[in-house]
Amino acid sequence: MSQYQSIRPCIICHDQQQVEHYCSYDKLEYVRCNTCGLIYVDNFADNQAMHKAYTGGGLRSLRRKLLAPFRKMRSIKGYSHFLHRARGIFAFAKQYIAQDTQKKYLDIGCNKGFLLTAGIEEHYDVYGVELVTVLVRPFCNTYPQFSSHVYSDKFCDVAQRFTDGYFDLITAIDVVEHFEDPLADLQEVHRILKQGGAFVIQTPDGDCPQARTLGCNWGALKPLEHLHLFGAKNFIDFAKQAGFREVTIHDAFEEADGNFVAVLKK
Ligand SMILES: [Zn+2]
């Protein structure tokens, strides 16, 4: 057993006796819980450093800011590809909810708004949360009637705007690994989801072959952004702790660095 003393206990097992050092990146340390397999950043970077990791900083950020006020969705490079991908994910997600009435849909971490666009095509009332404001400007320019439904903040700060059971369908594609307090955030998702509603996620799989063979070079290890890396099995336990009654695991929408998809039913 390693002598490493973690700062934070495992958020699933609530224990730190079985937590071992995993990988170091400068001063940031990934640890792994030997009980459930959760890989997590033990000591978060400061807010400024984490925010910069998202906005890219410097010229990339400036170029985006200058162009954003004028851009429409169709001018986004790879528009057809991204919309096709989003339609596929949306079609997968909506099969898990009843198909009768006008539906409310939330995409957490909506990025450029392609999933929201797919939702609009299916006549859903769409809402989005995106920390990087400038990313979602072309969506707001294209669909001004939905621009007041897009919130540029962390999910935990946006969720309180919504009453219990407000949404029929919620997605978070490549997002839960970014949550600083995943239990609190999943509990909020559960609260604002309607009874019988579904929450669909994709996240890197800490048990995938790449994670095991590449070790500290696994592409999903980004300690400024990816704070908790679940596996399919421990994610089921975790989602049930947050209140979801049924959790199923599915093949990834795209493999990337090794992902899994989960459908959480309330
Ligand atoms: Zn654990």
Side-chain angles (χ1 to χ4, degrees):
M1 191 58 59
S2 147
Q3 293 302 301
Y4 186 82
Q5 185 59 52
S6 70
I7 301 164
R8 299 197 299 133
C10 171
I11 58 167
I12 300 171
C13 305
H14 311 287
D15 175 36
Q16 52 200 132
Q17 298 308 313
Q18 299 297 321
V19 173
E20 281 195 347
H21 182 258
Y22 190 68
C23 290
S24 296
Y25 298 83
D26 287 327
K27 295 185 182 71
L28 301 175
E29 306 283 345
Y30 274 108
V31 293
R32 183 178 185 278
C33 172
N34 283 323
T35 307
C36 72
L38 180 74
I39 298 164
Y40 61 95
V41 177
D42 197 24
N43 54 336
F44 293 170
D46 60 74
N47 280 332
Q48 198 185 357
M50 288 208 274
H51 189 75
K52 200 177 163 194
Y54 288 101
T55 55
L59 285 174
R60 186 162 156 238
S61 181
L62 179 66
R63 184 170 174 272
R64 273 186 184 154
K65 275 197 187 107
L66 291 172
L67 291 173
F70 314 106
R71 295 189 78 189
K72 294 272 177 76
M73 291 289 282
R74 281 188 182 278
S75 69
I76 293 171
K77 198 177 167 203
Y79 170 83
S80 301
H81 165 77
F82 288 122
L83 186 57
H84 179 76
R85 169 188 184 261
R87 284 171 177 156
I89 294 172
F90 194 81
F92 172 87
K94 76 167 193 171
Q95 67 181 321
Y96 292 95
I97 61 168
Q99 301 298 321
D100 43 7
T101 55
Q102 169 72 28
K103 298 293 181 196
K104 291 201 185 303
Y105 166 55
L106 170 67
D107 188 28
I108 304 168
C110 66
N111 199 279
K112 298 190 177 81
F114 282 98
L115 272 169
L116 302 182
T117 303
I120 291 169
E121 289 179 346
E122 299 282 336
H123 310 291
Y124 278 62
D125 185 16
V126 304
Y127 293 73
V129 180
E130 176 50 55
L131 194 57
V132 186
T133 319
V134 69
L135 282 178
V136 80
R137 281 295 294 276
F139 171 83
C140 294
N141 292 339
T142 309
Y143 300 102
Q145 68 275 35
F146 288 104
S147 60
S148 66
H149 286 188
V150 177
Y151 303 93
S152 299
D153 220 331
K154 290 182 181 178
F155 170 68
C156 53
D157 297 322
V158 175
Q160 47 201 293
R161 293 169 173 271
F162 301 110
T163 53
D164 296 1
Y166 192 78
F167 292 103
D168 300 274
L169 180 63
I170 303 178
T171 55
I173 307 305
D174 309 331
V175 171
V176 298
E177 63 273 22
H178 295 262
F179 286 158
E180 291 175 34
D181 186 348
L183 182 59
D185 286 332
L186 252 68
Q187 285 169 334
E188 275 297 86
V189 171
H190 184 270
R191 182 185 67 76
I192 64 177
L193 192 62
K194 190 176 286 178
Q195 200 69 40
F199 177 42
V200 177
I201 68 130
Q202 176 174 265
T203 193
D205 181 358
D207 294 328
C208 72
Q210 297 96 308
R212 278 184 262 121
T213 54
L214 298 175
C216 296
N217 293 318
W218 180 36
L221 297 175
K222 299 176 186 172
L224 287 170
E225 297 173 61
H226 293 178
L227 307 177
H228 300 87
L229 296 157
F230 297 89
K233 192 174 173 299
N234 63 34
F235 189 77
I236 293 173
D237 294 341
F238 183 64
K240 290 194 170 169
Q241 284 183 29
F244 290 92
R245 64 178 168 84
E246 189 188 311
V247 186
T248 51
I249 302 297
H250 305 264
D251 289 342
F253 300 124
E254 55 273 306
E255 283 301 322
D257 295 308
N259 286 324
F260 69 89
V261 164
V263 177
L264 290 63
K265 292 280 294 177
K266 178 170 174 179

